[in-house]
Amino acid sequence: MDEKELINSAKKGDHRSFAVLFRNHYPLLVKYLMKITMNPDIAEEIAQATMAKCVEKIHLFNGKSKFSSWLISIATNMYIDQHRKKKREREWNEGEATSRKLQWHMESKNEEWTDALAALSRLTDEMRIPLILKHYYGYSYDEIGEILNIAAGTAKSRVHHGLLAVRRELKVDDKPKGKLVKR
């Protein structure tokens, strides 16, 4: 069978066709991934995940490109996704470590570490800085805009969204308790 027939057969669920496609393309895929990951273990892991995704998504292969090109695009996307995920995890871990270090630093100087500061530490810089400038230091939205080189409306929006995030974190509800609201 030629590759086109193997693919059509695999689309119909023929496991032997998948095995032949796998055997024909797996070495190329691993070699490609070793070059982009520079790590044989990660290359092998992504190659296996790519082949599993291929089995799952073979019905989406339209034949406009070579089958190997389709596999390489799946593998590349999986590598990029994995890389992004690890970067997010690393950034989150670094943020947590920084927050714990700040908390320890403040407590070691007998300064209070409140739940509000903990909630603030979880905000992005983009929201935390305008919020602190507004509510801790009393700057106007225009002044915050000048300091951060953003529009005053953007500063106001970031303060608003930062406050909402802190309230959610602290589970603060600004609705009066015990009163019924007519609709």
Side-chain angles (χ1 to χ4, degrees):
M1 274 195 219
D2 72 344
E3 189 166 89
K4 201 172 203 174
E5 291 170 332
L6 285 170
I7 293 167
N8 287 333
S9 183
K11 284 182 175 183
K12 294 175 186 168
D14 180 19
H15 297 293
R16 290 179 192 207
S17 296
F18 269 121
V20 172
L21 287 168
F22 184 84
R23 186 178 63 236
N24 292 346
H25 294 282
Y26 192 78
L28 168 83
L29 198 57
V30 171
K31 287 176 187 172
Y32 165 73
L33 286 165
M34 284 177 57
K35 288 179 181 93
I36 66 167
T37 66
M38 302 305 283
N39 183 319
D41 295 331
I42 293 173
E44 193 73 37
E45 178 186 323
I46 295 173
Q48 290 173 11
T50 299
M51 295 312 283
K53 179 82 104 186
C54 170
V55 170
E56 180 186 327
K57 303 288 185 177
I58 188 78
H59 65 279
L60 297 176
F61 179 69
N62 58 20
K64 289 182 181 174
S65 63
K66 289 171 42 177
F67 188 72
S68 59
S69 299
W70 185 65
L71 286 176
I72 285 174
S73 69
I74 292 171
T76 303
N77 289 334
M78 291 184 92
Y79 170 72
I80 291 168
D81 290 346
Q82 184 183 60
H83 198 268
R84 284 182 187 146
K85 181 181 177 187
K86 285 184 179 179
K87 182 180 177 188
R88 280 192 307 268
E89 288 172 356
R90 187 173 46 252
E91 287 171 353
W92 184 84
N93 286 333
E94 287 170 1
E96 282 294 305
T98 301
S99 178
R100 283 192 301 274
K101 187 176 181 181
L102 177 62
Q103 180 179 358
W104 177 84
H105 181 76
M106 288 183 73
E107 288 173 351
S108 70
K109 294 185 182 244
N110 293 323
E111 294 180 21
E112 191 176 339
W113 180 259
T114 64
D115 290 340
L117 282 175
L120 278 173
S121 74
R122 291 181 190 85
L123 293 177
T124 62
D125 288 345
E126 194 173 77
M127 283 197 286
R128 183 176 52 252
I129 294 169
L131 181 63
I132 290 171
L133 289 172
K134 177 69 178 166
H135 290 288
Y136 276 79
Y137 295 99
Y139 285 102
S140 71
Y141 293 119
D142 290 327
E143 291 169 322
I144 295 169
E146 280 183 42
I147 291 168
L148 299 177
N149 200 23
I150 58 176
T154 303
K156 186 174 183 178
S157 173
R158 290 180 183 178
V159 168
H160 171 74
H161 290 289
L163 278 175
L164 290 177
V166 168
R167 285 183 179 141
R168 264 193 314 272
E169 183 77 25
L170 298 175
K171 295 174 179 63
V172 173
D173 190 357
D174 46 359
K175 295 177 194 163
K177 292 185 180 180
K179 294 184 180 179
L180 293 175
V181 179
K182 289 186 179 181
R183 293 185 192 231

